[in-house]
Amino acid sequence: MDRDQIKSIFDRQAPTYDQQWAKLSALREGLHLLLGSVFATLPAQARILCVGAGTGAEIQHLALLFPGWSFTAVEPSPAMLSACRERAESNGYAQRCRFHEGYLDSLPTGEPFDAATCLLVSQFILDRPERAAFFRTIAERLRPGGLLASADLASDLSSASQRSLLEVWFRTMATADLSAEALQRMRDAYERDVAVLPPAEVEAIIRAGGFDTPVRFFQAGLMHAWFSRVARDTLNTSSP
C-alpha cells in the first residue's frame, strides 16, 4: 500500500479503532508495561518521539507514568491524530504534547529526542531498503545513544510451526468480533500489504537503519517488540 492508501484506511478506522480492539487490550497493555521498564532510565525531562502514534495509547501510558516527559506525536491520519489529541486532553497531559499531522520527513528539525516509539508501523513498508531508510530517519532524530522501542508483526511464514501460530493469531483476532469477511481481508493483507518477516530479518533491517543490535523484549503471538540504541557511527543530522 502507498501512503495515501494507508492514511485512508486509518482515517476510516479511527472513530471506532479503540473500541474495536478493546477485547485484545491485554496484548497492548503487556507491551506498554515492558515499554515503561525499557524507558525507565531516561532523563526526568525526556523528550519522546512517537512515530505513527495512532490514537496515542502508548503516549497515555508513558505520560501518566513519567509526568516530566514531553511527547511529539507524528501521525499521517488526521482522524487518528484527532483521537490522539482528544485522549491527551481528556487525561490531562495535552500541554506536554506536540501533534504533527504527516510523516516524519515533514516534521521540522529541532533538538534531538531522547527516545522514540514506533509500534506496528514499519511492517507496512514492503521494500526492505525503504524500511531500513525509515528507521534511519528515526535514528537521525535521536541524540547519540538515543533509544528506540519498535514493534511489528514478525514470523517465518514458510515454517509449518509458524503457520500454525498464524492460525492461532487469526483466532485471537477473531475475538475482537471481526466478521468472517474482515478476517479474510486481514488474511489477504498479510499476503499482500504487510511485510511479515522472520524476526531475525526485522532485526537486520533495524540495524541497517543505524541502530545497534536490537534486543527483543516482548512477544505475544505474531507481535514482537525490540529496543535498540542509535549506533555510534550513525550521523545525527538533527543535532544543533
Side-chain angles (χ1 to χ4, degrees):
M1 288 185 289
D2 61 27
R3 285 183 167 187
D4 288 340
Q5 288 175 308
I6 293 172
K7 184 170 73 171
S8 176
I9 287 172
F10 283 104
D11 275 342
R12 293 195 301 270
Q13 292 181 355
T16 59
Y17 186 84
D18 289 330
Q19 296 90 333
Q20 175 70 69
W21 300 108
K23 290 184 177 180
L24 300 180
S25 62
L27 299 176
R28 181 188 66 197
E29 290 164 2
L31 172 58
H32 290 173
L33 175 65
L34 287 170
L35 176 63
S37 298
V38 167
F39 280 179
T41 59
L42 292 175
Q45 305 297 322
R47 301 175 66 254
I48 312 298
L49 173 66
C50 298
V51 182
T55 62
E58 76 262 29
I59 295 177
Q60 178 180 346
H61 178 79
L62 294 173
L64 299 180
L65 195 60
F66 301 102
W69 290 7
S70 61
F71 303 87
T72 295
V74 177
E75 171 55 52
S77 163
M80 283 287 195
L81 192 65
S82 177
C84 181
R85 189 192 304 271
E86 290 173 6
R87 182 195 290 262
E89 291 171 348
S90 297
N91 288 279
Y93 56 86
Q95 72 280 3
R96 293 191 276 137
C97 296
R98 176 186 180 190
F99 303 94
H100 176 74
E101 182 184 324
Y103 292 89
L104 191 54
D105 53 14
S106 64
L107 179 70
T109 57
E111 182 183 352
F113 294 91
D114 296 288
T117 63
C118 179
L119 306 184
L120 303 178
V121 175
S122 88
Q123 64 196 27
F124 294 107
I125 304 174
L126 303 185
D127 180 79
R128 297 189 191 196
E130 184 180 345
R131 193 169 176 179
F134 167 76
F135 281 110
R136 184 163 291 274
T137 64
I138 298 175
E140 291 171 348
R141 298 286 185 153
L142 297 177
R143 62 173 174 79
L147 193 58
L148 168 69
S150 59
D152 282 302
L153 301 182
S155 181
D156 181 359
L157 298 183
S158 67
S159 159
S161 63
Q162 291 299 292
R163 288 197 299 273
S164 296
L165 178 59
L166 179 64
E167 293 308 312
V168 171
W169 181 254
F170 281 127
R171 290 198 292 272
T172 303
M173 295 298 102
T175 64
D177 297 329
L178 296 179
S179 66
E181 293 78 10
L183 278 172
Q184 186 58 52
R185 288 196 298 271
M186 183 179 290
R187 285 181 177 274
D188 294 342
Y190 281 23
E191 294 287 338
R192 183 183 63 246
D193 299 320
V194 182
V196 181
L197 302 177
E201 294 187 30
V202 179
E203 292 165 12
I205 290 170
I206 295 171
R207 290 197 304 273
F211 290 91
D212 286 333
T213 300
V215 177
R216 196 184 314 176
F217 69 91
F218 178 83
Q219 179 183 352
L222 296 194
M223 187 191 304
H224 296 66
W226 298 265
F227 68 84
S228 48
R229 292 189 180 275
V230 175
R232 291 184 179 183
D233 59 352
T234 299
L235 177 63
N236 194 326
T237 56
S238 66
S239 298

